[in-house]
Amino acid sequence: MQQSAVPELAHTQTRPIHWVATATAVSAVVALSSVVQPATAAQPDGPRAKPTPVAAPGTTGVTFPLDCGPVKTVVAKEASGDLDKDGRPETVAVVHCDASMGTPPDAVYVITRGADEAAPRVVATLVDTKDRYTVTDFAVREGAVTATLLGYSSPDVPNCCPDLEESVKWQWRDGVFVRSTPAGARGV
């Protein structure tokens, strides 16, 4: 029999008492860890409440600054989005008079409702009917209003046949809507 260079140590042999001691130590660590909690930031009681989404204001009941005489106003298109980044969406509406013939010019209005207001109201006019535009390709995306405006090069051009086309974009900057013409805008 060959002898080991290291003398035999008593604790290298596993005995039942070693298993009992190990189990006791593990149980003590588990019990102690349930009493001692790691430091964490204060958490509110109960599940976290998600902010209630605010609905965009509708166009029903809104008084548009549009003089249509005896005929009604028509909301031709509408889209919503948070244009001023205040957490409440605005609605943008393309509106014209309900003419029985011809192509009535469009107006584009921004509608909002304050946190303490019940009724929506017009807060900005992006396109006025006196400019004689018809609005197409209208959208609200990523905090901007985009549209294609069909217009007229002179008062002599009949309402049926716009001869100008312009792509435009409005964004809220420093408390006002700023109009720009994106690259690639074209005329007819």
Side-chain angles (χ1 to χ4, degrees):
M1 176 166 166
Q2 197 171 25
Q3 198 167 16
S4 168
V6 179
E8 213 170 296
L9 303 173
H11 67 276
T12 60
Q13 303 277 332
T14 57
R15 295 189 176 104
I17 191 72
H18 290 118
W19 291 112
V20 170
T22 302
T24 303
V26 169
S27 297
V29 168
V30 170
L32 189 58
S33 70
S34 67
V35 174
V36 178
Q37 295 292 325
T40 58
Q43 299 293 323
D45 293 338
R48 285 192 177 182
K50 292 182 181 177
T52 305
V54 177
T59 57
T60 304
V62 173
T63 302
F64 294 103
L66 187 60
D67 182 14
C68 291
V71 298
K72 297 178 186 177
T73 58
V74 174
V75 176
K77 301 171 187 165
E78 64 181 89
S80 299
D82 188 3
L83 300 173
D84 58 2
K85 311 237 185 294
D86 67 350
R88 293 186 317 254
E90 288 77 31
T91 297
V92 182
V94 177
V95 182
H96 61 253
C97 295
D98 190 14
S100 59
M101 57 183 162
T103 305
D106 290 321
V108 179
Y109 300 111
V110 178
I111 304 163
T112 191
R113 177 180 328 148
D116 57 346
E117 298 173 354
R121 61 189 169 85
V122 173
V123 293
T125 301
L126 304 181
V127 174
D128 196 327
T129 56
K130 69 179 179 175
D131 298 324
R132 296 180 62 209
Y133 285 120
T134 300
V135 179
T136 64
D137 298 327
F138 167 76
V140 173
R141 285 188 210 102
E142 301 174 5
V145 179
T146 58
T148 300
L149 304 178
L150 303 178
Y152 308 91
S153 59
S154 77
D156 298 330
V157 177
N159 284 350
C160 69
C161 313
D163 61 344
L164 296 177
E165 180 178 301
E166 183 180 6
S167 294
V168 294
K169 179 179 184 178
W170 292 271
Q171 287 186 289
W172 184 256
R173 288 192 195 126
D174 301 322
V176 295
F177 284 99
V178 177
R179 178 178 161 173
S180 62
T181 304
R186 61 190 189 281
V188 176

